[in-house]
Amino acid sequence: MPRLAMPTLRGPRPDTPEPTPAREIARIAVPVSMEFVLMLVLNFVNQIVVGGLGATAIAAVGFSNSLTFILAVTLGCFGTSVSILVARAHGAGRRSELDHTVTAALLVAGALGLVVSVVPWFFADHLLSLVGASPSVAAVGTDYFRLTVLATLPVMLSAILSGVLRSAGRPTSPMIATMVTVVANSAIAYSLVEGVGPLPSLGVAGAGWATLVTAVAKSLILLGMTLGRRGVVGWSLPDSVRQWRAVIVPLVVLALPLGVTELFWTVGTFLYNVVFQKLGDEALAAAQIVTTMEGVFIVGSIGLMSATTTLVGRSVGRGDIHDATAWVRRLTRAGLGTAAVFGVLFAASVLLLDVLFGEAGRDVRTMAGVGILVNAAFQVVKVRNMIVGAGVLPSANDVRGVIMGDAVSAFVVGLPLAVLLGLHTPLGYVGIFVARVVEELAKLLIFTWRARRIRWESLVTARSDVAPAA
C-alpha cells in the first residue's frame, strides 16, 4: 500500500554542536513534564469547579475517574510500547519499520479502544454501585462516568501519538496540543457546571461533557501533527504477513505485560478508594483531593520517565550499551533532585486547602492535609519508582519485573495493610495513607533488585538479530 506522507527523519544539522546530556534530557523531559502539569492542572481546576457542589460531588467525580483511569492507563500501555519501538527504530534509522509500527498500533488501539469505551457505557447505571460507591456517590456520578468512559478511545490514541512524537524528536508538539485543550476544557467545564449565559447548568455531568469534547479535539490535533504534511511518520500498512509479524509481535510482547502491570497498579489505586469509601464520603473526597494535588507536583518529574524510554531506546537501537547505561544513571540522579524540590512544594500546598476547597468542609480539608504531608515526605521514593519501573525496566524488556513490583507491593503489602490499619485500628484514614507509603517502599526494593539484574549486552544482541521490516 503506498504511503500517504513521506517526511524524512530529522536529525541535527552537521554544523550544530552536540548537545550536552543535561540539555538533551531537558529537551525531552521539560516539555513532557509541562504537558502533564497542564493536564493535572486541568483536573485540579475541574475538581475545584465541581467542589463548589459539595463533598459528595468531589467524591463522585474522583470515584468515577478512578474507574476510567483503569481503562485509560491500562490501554495506555500501547503508548509506552510504541514509544520504545519508535525510539529504537529512530535511533537505528529504520524508517520503514517506524511507519509500519505506528500505523499498526493506531489500527489495533482504535479497535480495542472502541470496544472498551462502549461496553461500560451500557452498564454505567449499576457499575458504580456494584464496585463499592455509596448510593449518593453513584447517583451523582453516573452521568459523569458515562461521558468520561467514552473519552477512553481518544485518550488512548492521544497517548500513542504523543509517544511517537516524543520518540521521533518532537517533544514539544504534545505539549502544544495539551495547552490548547486545557484552556478549552476549563472554560467548557465551568460554563456547563455552573450554567453560564444561555448554557444549561448540568452540574457534575457538565465536567464530563468538557472532558469528552476536549479529548476528541486533542487526539485530532495530535493526529495532524504526527501524520500530516509536516508529520514525523507516514501512514504505511505492512505489505506482507512477514512484515505484519515483524511489527505486531514486538508491539504485543511489550504492550501486553505493560498492560498487565498498569492494570495491577490502577486496580490497586481504585481499591484504595473503595477502602476510603468504607470510611464515608468525606474520607473519599479527601483522598481525591490528595491524589489530584499530588499529581500536579509529581508530574514535574514525569518527563524524566519519557526521557528514559526515548534516550535509552535510541541507544539500544544503535547498539551502544555504554550510552544506554550512562543515560540510566543520569536520569535517575535527575529524578532525585526534581522529586526533592517538588516534594517540598507539595507539602506547602496544605496552605491552600482552605482557599481552594472551602465548600468541602473542615473535616475533609483536615484529612486531605494529613494525606498531603504523609505523601510529600516520600515523594523521592515515588519518583524513583516511576523512572525505574516505567522507564528503565520496560526499556530493557524487563516487564516481568514491573509486573512483580506493582502486583506484590499493592496486593500483598499495601492493600492488606490499608484494610488492617484503616478499618480495624484507630488510625482510620491516616492508616490508609501510611499503607500507600509502605507500598511504595516495597516497590522500591523490588524495582532496584530487578534493575541490577539487567543485562544490556543480551538486549542489544537480541535487537541486532531482528531483521528490519522491508
Side-chain angles (χ1 to χ4, degrees), residues 7-12 24 27-28 81-102 163-171 231-234 309-319 463 468:
T8 59
L9 290 177
R10 298 176 182 175
E24 187 69 10
R27 191 179 72 85
I28 299 172
S81 176
V82 171
S83 66
I84 292 172
L85 296 175
V86 167
R88 293 177 182 175
H90 187 273
R94 297 185 175 114
R95 176 52 195 265
S96 179
E97 179 183 341
L98 189 155
D99 290 348
H100 289 166
T101 297
V102 176
V164 171
L165 288 165
R166 295 182 194 115
S167 295
R170 295 268 294 273
V232 296
V233 299
T309 58
T310 299
L311 297 172
V312 174
R314 289 177 185 173
S315 298
V316 171
R318 291 192 299 267
R463 178 67 187 156

Side-chain angles (χ1 to χ4, degrees), residues 23 37 41 79 82 88 117 168 278 290-291 358 379 397 406-407 420 450 457 467:
R23 290 187 64 182
V37 167
V41 167
V82 171
R88 293 177 182 175
S117 296
K278 295 292 184 182
V290 173
T291 299
Q379 189 93 324
N397 283 357
D406 283 332
L420 175 64
R450 297 296 297 194
E457 298 88 350

Side-chain angles (χ1 to χ4, degrees), residues 387-405:
I387 293 173
V388 177
V392 176
L393 295 182
S395 295
N397 283 357
D398 186 17
V399 288
R400 181 182 301 177
V402 184
I403 294 173
M404 185 184 303

Side-chain angles (χ1 to χ4, degrees), residues 71-87:
L71 294 176
V73 174
T74 301
L75 297 176
C77 67
F78 280 99
T80 304
S81 176
V82 171
S83 66
I84 292 172
L85 296 175
V86 167

Side-chain angles (χ1 to χ4, degrees), residues 229-252:
R229 291 183 59 187
R230 298 184 179 180
V232 296
V233 299
W235 182 269
S236 178
L237 288 171
D239 298 322
S240 64
V241 174
R242 178 174 173 272
Q243 287 185 357
W244 274 104
R245 186 183 300 114
V247 171
I248 293 296
V249 169
L251 179 67
V252 174

Side-chain angles (χ1 to χ4, degrees), residues 41-245:
V41 167
L42 162 66
N43 291 338
F44 187 51
V45 170
N46 285 346
Q47 193 172 72
I48 293 174
V49 172
V50 173
L53 303 177
T56 299
I58 296 176
V61 168
F63 199 83
S64 299
N65 283 342
S66 64
L67 268 181
T68 55
F69 189 62
I70 294 174
L71 294 176
V73 174
T74 301
L75 297 176
C77 67
F78 280 99
T80 304
S81 176
V82 171
S83 66
I84 292 172
L85 296 175
V86 167
R88 293 177 182 175
H90 187 273
R94 297 185 175 114
R95 176 52 195 265
S96 179
E97 179 183 341
L98 189 155
D99 290 348
H100 289 166
T101 297
V102 176
T103 303
L106 289 174
L107 291 175
V108 172
L112 185 60
L114 184 63
V115 173
V116 299
S117 296
V118 173
V119 172
W121 186 88
F122 286 104
F123 302 99
D125 290 340
H126 306 290
L127 189 56
L128 292 177
S129 298
L130 183 65
V131 296
S134 67
S136 57
V137 167
V140 173
T142 295
D143 288 341
Y144 176 85
F145 176 71
R146 282 184 183 276
L147 294 164
T148 54
V149 78
L150 290 178
T152 302
L153 173 58
V155 167
M156 182 182 179
L157 295 177
S158 293
I160 291 174
L161 296 168
S162 295
V164 171
L165 288 165
R166 295 182 194 115
S167 295
R170 295 268 294 273
T172 59
S173 296
M175 181 187 69
I176 294 171
T178 301
M179 290 176 62
V180 173
T181 51
V182 160
V183 174
N185 188 299
S186 299
I188 296 171
Y190 178 77
S191 299
L192 292 178
V193 169
E194 299 293 337
V196 175
L199 297 175
S201 177
L202 300 179
V204 171
W209 276 110
T211 299
L212 177 59
V213 170
T214 53
V216 173
K218 181 177 178 179
S219 65
L220 293 176
I221 293 172
L222 290 171
L223 191 64
M225 291 177 169
T226 306
L227 294 168
R229 291 183 59 187
R230 298 184 179 180
V232 296
V233 299
W235 182 269
S236 178
L237 288 171
D239 298 322
S240 64
V241 174
R242 178 174 173 272
Q243 287 185 357
W244 274 104
R245 186 183 300 114

Side-chain angles (χ1 to χ4, degrees), residues 279-295:
L279 298 179
D281 290 359
E282 291 187 338
L284 178 60
Q288 302 314 306
I289 292 173
V290 173
T291 299
T292 303
M293 294 191 71
E294 180 181 30

